[in-house]
Amino acid sequence: MNSGILYLIPAPLGKGDIAWTIPAAVRQCVARLDRYIVEHPKTARQFLKQIDCILPLQRISMQVLDEHTQAREFENLLSPLLAGSDIGLLSEAGCPAVADPGAGLVRLAHQKKIRVVPLVGPSSILLALMASGLNGQRFVFHGYLPVETSKRVKKIVELEKDSIVRDQTQILIETPYRNQKLLESIISCCRDDTSLCIACNLTLADEYISTRAVREWKHALPDIHNKPAIFLLQG
């Protein structure tokens, strides 16, 4: 029997018109699936309602893959694919396996010769880079920095130096409730002429994107507490 297809399904970055971020053809493809691997079933069901899922939600199988999922569980998650069923890997927000659980599962799928199909949808990281005006030819996504203040500051200084030497954009994220502290750390330790882009609530009605020199940010920091944000800096 041929294996099923593992579809990688991006999800909206927040509440809003889903037609703005998920193409109709993608919604039609996703709406027919009856098996999903998801981070949170509750928000996954909300997403399926938005795309006008063809099947009753109670008939849809959802298995959980989150930050607590062990690699030894991946085999079981992939077993329906090996039996011939298609499965959708649904991100909580944005793209699966990019700053998101799932990369290990996708890698194992390739090892088992399962076809992997990425679907079109929003990536906050790329949207922020596109809109920043910073170097889009050379960039590095670092994910989360250390929580402890002194270690975080040391890492920011290292990243700024690397950015200058390599002429590259450094891309960072943080848990929304710690956004303001990360921003304050960047402003406190980076050079005045370093460029910093703050991209917040991307694709939403109150989207905020601004690139300025650190010296300019010092005069007025935006309130981004508890708001999903991407930080991009280039020395």
Side-chain angles (χ1 to χ4, degrees):
M1 181 181 293
N2 293 329
S3 298
I5 298 172
L6 179 61
Y7 290 98
L8 308 185
I9 306 168
L13 302 176
K15 294 180 179 179
D17 184 358
I18 198 169
W20 184 251
T21 54
I22 309 294
V26 171
R27 299 199 302 273
Q28 291 169 8
C29 173
V30 173
R32 66 175 179 80
L33 298 175
D34 62 357
R35 291 180 179 272
Y36 293 88
I37 299 170
V38 305
E39 194 170 354
H40 296 292
K42 181 179 178 180
T43 49
R45 292 188 187 96
Q46 292 172 349
F47 171 76
L48 294 180
K49 288 179 182 178
Q50 283 184 288
I51 65 166
D52 297 325
C53 183
I54 295 172
L55 302 173
L57 293 181
Q58 60 268 26
R59 285 183 50 192
I60 292 176
S61 169
M62 289 192 183
Q63 294 178 284
V64 173
L65 189 161
D66 58 21
E67 67 273 18
H68 304 297
T69 304
Q70 301 296 312
R72 63 177 179 270
E73 300 175 60
F74 292 168
E75 291 269 358
N76 182 57
L77 291 172
L78 292 178
S79 59
L81 284 156
L82 296 172
S85 296
D86 295 340
I87 291 182
L89 176 61
L90 178 59
S91 175
E92 180 70 4
C95 297
V98 179
D100 179 88
L105 183 78
V106 174
R107 184 166 59 250
L108 183 59
H110 284 294
Q111 292 171 5
K112 292 183 175 296
K113 305 298 189 291
I114 294 169
R115 184 183 174 197
V116 176
V117 175
L119 300 179
V120 176
S123 165
S124 58
I125 298 165
L126 288 180
L127 290 172
L129 180 62
M130 288 163 57
S132 69
L134 304 184
N135 194 336
Q137 299 290 336
R138 287 181 294 278
F139 56 91
V140 181
F141 173 65
H142 297 276
Y144 298 91
L145 297 191
V147 175
E148 200 267 307
T149 302
S150 61
K151 293 180 180 179
R152 182 172 65 239
V153 167
K154 180 181 178 181
K155 186 64 177 179
I156 292 170
V157 171
E158 291 176 1
L159 294 180
E160 183 184 42
K161 289 179 180 178
D162 283 347
S163 175
I164 295 169
V165 171
R166 303 174 187 275
D167 185 25
Q168 69 184 16
T169 300
Q170 311 286 32
I171 307 176
L172 319 170
I173 57 174
E174 184 51 279
T175 303
Y177 71 85
R178 288 201 293 258
N179 274 343
Q180 209 68 30
K181 288 192 177 296
L182 174 58
L183 176 56
E184 291 167 2
S185 292
I186 293 172
I187 296 302
S188 70
C189 68
C190 282
R191 295 165 35 154
D192 278 353
D193 59 349
T194 289
S195 295
L196 170 65
C197 175
I198 302 169
C200 182
N201 281 345
L202 289 163
T203 74
L204 306 184
D206 58 346
E207 178 180 80
Y208 174 87
I209 307 171
S210 183
T211 301
R212 305 177 191 177
V214 166
R215 71 166 66 86
E216 297 177 78
W217 283 118
K218 288 180 178 178
H219 298 303
L221 293 182
D223 179 9
I224 56 173
H225 179 65
N226 274 341
K227 300 175 183 177
I230 307 286
F231 303 87
L232 306 92
L233 63 88
Q234 184 178 354

